[in-house]
Each structure stands twice: as C-alpha cells, then as structure tokens.
Amino acid sequence: SQQGEEDPQALSIQEGENATMNCSYKTSINNLQWYRQNSGRGLVHLILIRSNEREKHSGRLRVTLDTSKKSSSLLITASRAADTASYFCATDLLPQGGSEKLVFGKGTKLTVNP
Amino acid sequence: EAQVTQNPRYLITVTGKKLTVTCSQNMNHEYMSWYRQDPGLGLRQIYYSMNVEVTDKGDVPEGYKVSRKEKRNFPLILESPSPNQTSLYFCASSFGQVFGGANVLTFGAGSRLTVL
C-alpha cells in the first residue's frame, strides 16, 4: 500500500534557486524521513522529523511537517548541480501489532541545471 | 567503514534458475529489509527481519524467500525467477525502532537483476 506520495514527480530548476518538494501521507505516523537517491544508487538518509515537531533544519535543507494536513515539505535552498537526484519521503507508521514498517513514496526527480 | 554490502551488483539470468542475492551489514543492526524499485512504482518492501530468526512479509513477497540465521546477513532467494522479477533490488538495515527511536535505514548500493 502506498502511504507517502511526493509532489511534483519531476522538478527542473536553475542552480542557485530553491527547490521545494511535498509529501502527503494517509495514516498517522511516528515520524517522517527524507532520503536522496543518485541515479541507480542506494538511498541516503537526509533528515528525520518526528510527529511532534513542525520544522527542522540541516544545512541547506528545511523540512516541515503538518500532521493535521498529513503533509511534509522538503526545501533545498541555493541549489547546486550536485543536488540533482531523486528525493523520497518515508513514513514510519505507528506500530501495528509490533511490526515495524517504513513506507516510501515514489519520489520527486530533481534536476538542477548549471 | 559502516556499510551494507550487496552481491552481485549486476546479474542476468534465465527463467527458473535459482539465485541468491547476498546482503551483509557491519553495523550490528537488528533490522534488515529488502526492497525492489521499479519505474513508476517507487520502492516496495519485499521482506524484512527484526532480528535473527525473525522475518516477515512486506508488500510484495511473492516469489521470494529470505533467511536470517546470523545478525549480519540477510540473503534474498529467488527459487524460480521470472521476468516480472527483473528489477533493482536494495537491501537496507537499521537499529529499528529501539527505545522509541526511528527506523533510519542504511542502504546497500543495489543489485540490478535481469531475468530473461
């Protein structure tokens, strides 16, 4: 079942511009994470925001979480060509019978043009 | 270096020929998981394991088997591969949701499998 859905599916910007990606989810969560994937390679964890947090920063990354709207956004400021990658949100569902489950969205493909 | 190692990285095989994709982590992680990634479908979980001898199905377990005999290894077995199992496979591990913590995954580099 698809929990998180990123929007837009693809985003193309110029170097130096800001990039904003959104993630919507369906059910209550413990926390939400963002991962990055360079073409065909493994995903790399970027940032985590817990359900009781509203905003978090890490370098040029800013993540917000609105649990009432079941949505999150990832902002990359002053983008660089090296930021070109796919970005995925992942929701860590509240435990159901003790099982652990991290569900990924389909990703936003970001292209930063030099 | 802390890492998740998958092998092989690339494999072309034929329908019905059993194969195993190995996964090993050196971080003493309890939790390990296999995902497959297909265009337009994102990452889908195949199987996961919360600890040694504890495995459970993910969203797309059909046609796959796993085992967790040791903490560091979590091989993915395709008993009789079919063309619809052509995909990019990722193994990932973490400490799991320990003491209310988050399940932050470390991924392997991926294994691209083609079944003819």
Side-chain angles (χ1 to χ4, degrees), chain B residues 24-44:
Chain B
S24 180
Q25 50 91 7
N26 61 0
M27 296 165 281
N28 202 34
H29 283 165
E30 281 80 19
Y31 181 91
M32 297 186 75
S33 181
W34 277 102
Y35 292 86
R36 62 177 287 174
Q37 185 176 31
D38 303 288
L41 297 177
L43 269 84
R44 295 179 292 168

Side-chain angles (χ1 to χ4, degrees), chain B residues 32-94:
Chain B
M32 297 186 75
S33 181
W34 277 102
Y35 292 86
R36 62 177 287 174
Q37 185 176 31
D38 303 288
L41 297 177
L43 269 84
R44 295 179 292 168
Q45 190 178 47
I46 303 171
Y47 269 96
Y48 65 97
S49 169
M50 290 167 64
N51 215 323
V52 176
E53 302 292 0
V54 180
T55 63
D56 209 346
K57 296 178 181 179
D59 295 316
V60 288
E62 295 78 20
Y64 304 95
K65 284 176 58 177
V66 293
S67 68
R68 188 89 182 274
K69 295 185 171 63
E70 308 165 279
K71 197 172 189 178
R72 64 183 293 128
N73 296 323
F74 190 46
L76 179 70
I77 303 157
L78 285 73
E79 293 271 3
S80 182
S82 62
N84 64 13
Q85 292 179 297
T86 292
S87 187
L88 180 58
Y89 290 87
F90 290 101
C91 180
S93 70
S94 75

